[in-house]
Amino acid sequence: MMEGRKRIVHHHDEMGDIKKGPWKAEEDEVLINHVKKYGPRDWSSIRSKGLLQRTGKSCRLRWVNKLRPNLKNGVKFSAEEERTVIDLQAQFGNKWAKIATYLHGRTDNDVKNFWSSRQKRLKRILQSSTPSSSKSHKNSKEVRI
DNA sequence: AAGGGCTCCAACCGCGAAAGT
DNA sequence: AACTTTCGCGGTTGGAGCCCT
């Protein structure tokens, strides 16, 4: 068997097991407390202080997209928000972070997700009405534009 | 009623920019 | 000035949970 845990440690990496994947409520709390104390910065120090086994990158992402106050989490884009994204994308291109600054409570990730869902939706619709492809998946739900 | 396909979104990655040493 | 570390962005993806038959 030999479940060897040997590992060459470059003195500074704090014992190299980095946690990935979904965040637990407990981790969120640690992150929130850190931000309360020090502000939304120094993401990498969270790991070097041994508070969480997450990269700075992961901590920042979690804060910015999910934990930061006043986010409209779990609320679908309103028709107006959709309009705004579509218009701004036409103006600026795929500048999601920039576009998000025009929408209160939405993050670049939200905008990006909205856009790619929409793109796929449009592609499907186009596909299913193309001459050659007669395999039409029945119009399941409402067709959104 | 179950099981396979489809959607959506949370979180990852790579890379370039910015900040630090 | 040069090298290292951290941040921020855009693109991508795996899987939970919804349809559908």
Side-chain angles (χ1 to χ4, degrees):
Chain A
M1 301 324 195
M2 188 92 100
E3 241 308 296
R5 240 353 24 174
K6 283 195 193 143
R7 188 190 239 348
I8 300 166
V9 181
H10 257 119
H11 52 282
H12 278 116
D13 82 24
E14 294 284 331
M15 196 25 219
D17 39 359
I18 290 172
K19 180 137 184 245
K20 297 185 196 178
W23 281 66
K24 302 285 169 290
E26 177 195 358
E27 297 178 289
D28 283 346
E29 202 180 335
V30 172
L31 179 50
I32 288 166
N33 287 337
H34 193 271
V35 171
K36 278 183 181 154
K37 248 187 217 145
Y38 304 107
R41 58 181 150 276
D42 303 334
W43 305 111
S44 300
S45 76
I46 294 170
R47 179 160 189 281
S48 60
K49 286 169 183 161
L51 298 175
L52 291 173
Q53 288 298 71
R54 298 273 184 175
T55 62
K57 225 172 158 172
S58 179
C59 292
R60 178 190 160 277
L61 195 73
R62 183 66 183 169
W63 173 259
V64 167
N65 288 321
K66 293 282 135 183
L67 268 29
R68 181 158 55 100
N70 307 321
L71 290 175
K72 295 181 186 163
N73 272 318
V75 182
K76 280 186 67 162
F77 275 40
S78 68
E80 191 193 348
E81 285 174 317
E82 296 193 359
R83 196 63 254 158
T84 302
V85 173
I86 291 163
D87 290 346
L88 293 176
Q89 197 281 340
Q91 271 190 249
F92 304 133
N94 298 359
K95 299 300 177 191
W96 312 126
K98 178 167 188 179
I99 292 170
T101 66
Y102 292 77
L103 301 172
H104 295 117
R106 302 298 189 180
T107 71
D108 62 336
N109 210 42
D110 294 333
V111 175
K112 187 164 57 180
N113 280 337
F114 164 75
W115 188 260
S116 58
S117 285
R118 181 182 135 92
Q119 286 299 97
K120 285 175 188 168
R121 201 156 71 226
L122 293 178
K123 182 161 280 188
R124 287 197 303 272
I125 291 168
L126 191 59
Q127 265 300 334
S128 77
S129 62
T130 203
S132 57
S133 83
S134 51
K135 298 280 189 194
S136 53
H137 287 182
K138 221 35 188 117
N139 338 314
S140 13
K141 258 202 132 191
E142 293 285 329
V143 178
R144 246 168 314 154
I145 311 168

